[in-house]
Amino acid sequence: EINDKTSSIKIEKWDGSSSVTYNTVKLSNGKYSIKSVANEKYVVAENGGSDPLIANRESCGGAWESIKIENNGDGTVSLKSSANGKYVCAVIDENNQLLPRSESVGTWEKFIIEKISDGEYALYSLANGKYVQANLNDGGKLFATSESVAGAWEVFDINRN
């Protein structure tokens, strides 16, 4: 069950002429599926979590497509792959790809979930201050590389399993 009560964190992006503001949301701890709005595919930890996250599945039915959201004490969340039990990391020194490889939570494993509209969310990476996108020019791989929520590539449906 999703708790759409806003938290005290407010993210504002300035594009030079107008400010776009999204409210952060607190989702309950638990297992979720994440679906890219851009290609309508589910995010998966390919190869049992050994490969970067990618939005390429038609359905969600197993551990590879299940991500555990864990709330951190600072208002951020961490994503834990059910495929390998490791935290998803925005790997800054490897093209900002999202990879479930970490045993513990540090800055690279922290994200803020922002509500874009009903049922649609963006993921903001604390590692580099950028939004996660499903890059359709790279098969739907997830990277923390967007300066803003420019369109569907940065928007995800997040639903409780």
Side-chain angles (χ1 to χ4, degrees):
E1 179 173 325
I2 295 176
N3 176 356
D4 273 343
K5 294 180 181 173
T6 58
S7 69
S8 61
I9 300 171
K10 187 182 255 190
I11 306 296
E12 292 189 14
K13 288 288 182 181
W14 179 256
D15 67 6
S17 62
S18 64
S19 179
V20 178
T21 303
Y22 302 110
N23 289 318
T24 61
V25 294
K26 180 178 171 110
L27 302 180
S28 302
N29 288 335
K31 290 186 179 180
Y32 290 81
S33 63
I34 300 175
K35 187 177 188 181
S36 169
V37 169
N39 65 1
E40 293 292 316
K41 307 255 178 169
Y42 288 95
V43 172
V44 59
E46 288 281 24
N47 199 17
S50 296
D51 293 339
L53 296 184
I54 186 168
N56 71 359
R57 286 290 196 281
E58 295 292 333
S59 62
C60 176
W64 288 17
E65 299 89 14
S66 184
I67 302 287
K68 184 178 180 186
I69 291 178
E70 294 182 1
N71 288 283
N72 300 314
D74 60 1
T76 64
V77 299
S78 292
L79 310 174
K80 194 174 203 179
S81 171
S82 295
N84 65 3
K86 295 187 178 180
Y87 290 99
V88 173
C89 169
V91 188
I92 303 308
D93 54 0
E94 293 180 21
N95 300 318
N96 304 306
Q97 65 184 343
L98 268 62
L99 184 64
R101 72 172 194 185
S102 300
E103 298 290 337
S104 61
V105 174
T107 303
W108 285 14
E109 294 80 22
K110 290 185 176 184
F111 300 88
I112 295 172
I113 299 175
E114 299 177 8
K115 184 176 182 178
I116 304 303
S117 64
D118 286 339
E120 295 184 343
Y121 303 91
L123 295 168
Y124 179 85
S125 171
L126 257 62
N128 63 359
K130 300 200 185 246
Y131 288 92
V132 173
Q133 67 165 233
N135 187 327
L136 300 190
N137 292 330
D138 196 0
K141 284 184 186 172
L142 271 59
F143 296 94
T145 55
S146 292
E147 295 291 333
S148 65
V149 179
W153 283 24
E154 294 84 19
V155 181
F156 300 89
D157 291 329
I158 301 175
N159 293 294
R160 186 99 184 212
N161 284 355

